[in-house]
Amino acid sequence: MVDVQVTSTETIRPSSPTPEHLRTFKLSMLDMSAPTFYIPLVFFYSSNIKVAKSQNAAKSHRLKTCLSETLTRFFPLAGRVKEESSVDCNDQGVDFVEAQVSSQLSEFLKLPNKEEFLFQLLPCNFFNSKSGREVLLAIQVNHFQCGGIAIGVSISHSVADMATTATFINNWAITARGENWVPCPTFNSASLFPARRVERFSSPVTENLSSKRFVFTESNLASLRTKSSTYSRAGMPTRVEALSALIWRCVIRATRKEGSSRALACVHAVNIRSRMDPPLPDHSFGNLFVVVTTSGVAEKDLYQGCLEEQLREAFRQIDDAHVRELRGSNAHLKLWELQRRVAEKFSNMEVEFCSFTSWTSFPLYDVDFGWGEPVWVSTVNYPSRNVVYLLGRRWGDGIEAWVCMEKEDMARFEEDDELLSFVSDPTIV
């Protein structure tokens, strides 16, 4: 049993007030269509010696001071969403929570069920901050008995995607290391995608769920890619394409019901920054992603290479021409029409969706506050059926898949022979 006790909660505000001409930050159409939950991440840092409380206090003070400086550059995060279309950059600040963990970090990381305790290390659940305030950013610094630290970060998806989240956290870490040059975010998404009211994308919250983490080493991913390329007309798949197709196949087999003709389509979030011409910089602030949907596939139609080809084609269609359509005056109507056509196309097939989000390309293991890179970066699963998060691993050694399914389906999924031929020991970090 891991006990996490909150010891303090305070508000951190920008070190300099936001200028009057920046007090209203307009959200983009893509911001307004993004889900409203918090993006959760936990960064674990080890310590080889027992650290005195005074040293922990010094680390916390440094984190808070540099967070305040960083918020000056990322000023919308210290504000509050106003009428869904803008942020009032009023410098009300972000939550900063500190907590004490009743275990050694090394012991925690060895727990076979450590994922069950991760919510305690975060300052928010998916939908509410622990303070009860509608903050856009919250931090929780968790001190282990050995001096190790876990920093839980929750950032509102209403204003930021994972690219922005990674940029902010690395910016904060660079400031804490005392480096002279810190890249500043750019704020032009609202001019590229003017605000228009659209339906937000979000998977429905459900119960009776099981969430588990599956580890795929780089060598196993290489074998998977080679095997997939043998049968795919699209050539060698990327790591994300090959792994998504594998999990998609296994989900189809695990969720099939006898006598059902239901198909299962794949939904994948795609970062559009690099797909624009000219490309946007990685530090462009906001939600700059779109969601692609493949055709529905029934279990009887499965064959090696089929799903890889569908994913490759879906990703290929997200190019500059597609993005330019999203920038048009009727873009919101096109999004609605696309959603309508998808629903109509699949309505007679009883189609279900398997939703993927890949964070493998973001430099989460570069987040060094001055005491080394994290030994593990984790998340928690969104509480909805057939949701998958893909995270990179330390030193680039593979991918972790965080899978959430109904309990009965998970029992079948984790015993799938094809999955087991590529998955590694799930207790390692």
Side-chain angles (χ1 to χ4, degrees):
M1 180 67 180
V2 177
D3 184 42
V4 181
Q5 293 291 332
V6 172
T7 56
S8 67
T9 301
E10 59 184 295
T11 300
I12 305 298
R13 294 181 171 84
S15 58
S16 300
T18 299
E20 192 62 34
H21 71 282
L22 297 177
R23 298 279 288 188
T24 298
F25 176 74
K26 293 182 179 180
L27 298 177
S28 72
M29 179 185 69
L30 299 182
D31 292 323
M32 296 178 66
S33 65
T36 58
F37 58 72
Y38 289 96
I39 298 173
L41 285 171
V42 186
F43 297 80
F44 292 84
Y45 300 89
S46 63
S47 177
N48 295 325
I49 59 173
K50 190 173 181 63
V51 178
K53 288 185 178 180
S54 60
Q55 291 175 282
N56 278 343
K59 284 185 177 181
S60 295
H61 177 74
R62 181 67 175 165
L63 287 172
K64 287 186 282 189
T65 300
C66 295
L67 175 59
S68 180
E69 294 178 24
T70 307
L71 287 174
T72 301
R73 295 185 290 274
F74 290 79
F75 55 90
L77 295 179
R80 301 292 183 268
V81 172
K82 181 180 179 181
E83 298 177 353
E84 295 188 2
S85 62
S86 65
V87 175
D88 182 7
C89 303
N90 50 23
D91 299 335
Q92 287 191 17
V94 305
D95 287 350
F96 190 94
V97 180
E98 291 198 72
Q100 193 69 39
V101 185
S102 64
S103 73
Q104 307 282 331
L105 176 58
S106 59
E107 295 173 354
F108 178 88
L109 295 178
K110 291 177 183 177
L111 290 175
N113 63 335
K114 54 183 169 292
E115 292 82 6
E116 298 176 11
F117 302 103
L118 292 175
F119 265 118
Q120 297 183 56
L121 305 179
L122 286 162
C124 304
N125 64 27
F126 266 102
F127 309 105
N128 296 287
S129 65
K130 287 182 178 177
S131 67
R133 301 186 304 159
E134 295 182 358
V135 294
L136 297 180
L137 170 68
I139 308 292
Q140 181 168 320
V141 178
N142 304 276
H143 300 281
F144 288 83
Q145 292 179 348
C146 59
I149 290 178
I151 301 178
V153 180
S154 296
I155 190 167
S156 175
H157 217 326
S158 299
V159 297
D161 59 10
M162 177 48 67
T164 293
T165 300
T167 297
F168 164 76
I169 297 171
N170 272 288
N171 208 293
W172 179 23
I174 291 171
T175 304
R177 294 200 302 269
E179 296 185 11
N180 293 327
W181 182 80
V182 181
C184 291
T186 59
F187 300 95
N188 60 347
S189 60
S191 63
L192 295 172
F193 304 94
R196 298 181 180 92
R197 193 172 300 280
V198 293
E199 185 176 348
R200 288 189 182 273
F201 176 83
S202 185
S203 300
V205 176
T206 51
E207 298 180 350
N208 190 37
L209 298 172
S210 175
S211 176
K212 295 195 175 182
R213 180 177 65 98
F214 299 88
V215 175
F216 299 85
T217 62
E218 196 64 25
S219 59
N220 283 353
L221 287 175
S223 298
L224 174 61
R225 294 178 64 204
T226 299
K227 180 180 179 182
S228 298
S229 67
T230 303
Y231 299 94
S232 175
R233 292 169 295 183
M236 179 71 75
T238 66
R239 298 188 311 159
V240 169
E241 289 170 348
L243 183 54
S244 297
L246 168 66
I247 294 173
W248 186 11
R249 274 195 300 274
C250 296
V251 170
I252 291 172
R253 289 193 286 262
T255 58
R256 66 183 177 183
K257 301 295 186 291
E258 187 174 352
S260 173
S261 61
R262 176 186 56 81
L264 193 143
C266 173
V267 178
H268 228 297
V270 179
N271 181 2
I272 63 174
R273 290 169 176 82
S274 63
R275 294 171 182 262
M276 298 175 65
D277 186 16
L280 292 178
D282 292 338
H283 52 266
S284 297
F285 187 93
N287 286 287
L288 289 161
F289 75 97
V290 297
V291 175
V292 298
T293 305
T294 65
S295 301
V297 178
E299 194 274 339
K300 64 182 178 63
D301 299 321
L302 287 183
Y303 62 87
Q304 190 80 34
C306 167
L307 305 188
E308 289 87 346
E309 291 173 6
Q310 285 206 29
L311 283 168
R312 173 68 61 85
E313 178 60 23
F315 291 149
R316 186 190 65 80
Q317 293 179 8
I318 308 303
D319 55 13
D320 183 64
H322 179 87
V323 174
R324 287 184 183 279
E325 287 188 8
L326 293 178
R327 297 176 61 182
S329 58
N330 294 321
H332 61 302
L333 299 178
K334 292 179 181 179
L335 283 177
W336 274 333
E337 177 63 18
L338 177 61
Q339 292 170 351
R340 186 196 65 76
R341 289 203 310 267
V342 169
E344 183 179 90
K345 180 179 179 181
F346 295 138
S347 60
N348 295 329
M349 298 173 63
E350 301 177 7
V351 162
E352 195 169 350
F353 295 96
C354 185
S355 300
F356 286 83
T357 299
S358 173
W359 296 340
T360 58
S361 63
F362 302 120
L364 300 180
Y365 279 91
D366 291 347
V367 179
D368 177 2
F369 290 94
W371 50 78
E373 297 175 350
V375 295
W376 187 38
V377 180
S378 72
T379 186
V380 292
N381 266 110
Y382 183 79
S384 184
R385 59 184 293 168
N386 305 336
V387 172
V388 182
Y389 287 91
L390 303 179
L391 275 72
R393 288 173 46 75
R394 193 183 188 192
W395 299 312
D397 184 24
I399 296 175
E400 295 182 358
W402 295 68
V403 183
C404 189
M405 305 176 68
E406 289 189 350
K407 292 180 179 179
E408 296 80 5
D409 295 339
M410 178 63 80
R412 291 187 289 270
F413 176 84
E414 62 184 345
E415 294 179 355
D416 189 285
D417 289 338
E418 186 183 11
L419 179 76
L420 293 175
S421 67
F422 293 103
V423 75
S424 300
D425 182 357
T427 64
I428 64 175
V429 296

